[in-house]
Amino acid sequence: SWFFPFLTIGLAGALSTFSSLALEMHQISKKHGWKKSVGYASLTFVTGLIALSLGIFMGTSVAV
């Protein structure tokens, strides 16, 4: 009931984020080659994992 809107918004956000990444990778690949495109995707992924880890750390270290 109340969860469905959050799930829908989250799914739409994930799809738009992924499509933006795919578009940027395509543009970089056309302009600079596939190696830079793969490097960009890898850097984006690693940065996302670092941000996730930091968010989990900060979220679990605060006493409620």
Side-chain angles (χ1 to χ4, degrees):
S1 58
W2 64 268
F3 185 70
F4 185 72
F6 291 102
L7 182 65
T8 305
I9 291 168
L11 182 63
L15 290 175
S16 67
T17 300
F18 179 75
S19 64
S20 295
L21 176 65
L23 176 63
E24 289 174 357
M25 285 180 60
H26 175 71
Q27 290 172 342
I28 291 170
S29 180
K30 286 181 79 172
K31 189 172 184 179
H32 301 289
W34 67 272
K35 289 182 183 179
K36 291 230 183 203
S37 179
V38 170
Y40 172 75
S42 299
L43 183 64
T44 300
F45 182 72
V46 169
T47 304
L49 286 178
I50 291 170
L52 172 67
S53 300
L54 183 61
I56 289 173
F57 173 74
M58 290 174 65
T60 56
S61 65
V62 175
V64 178

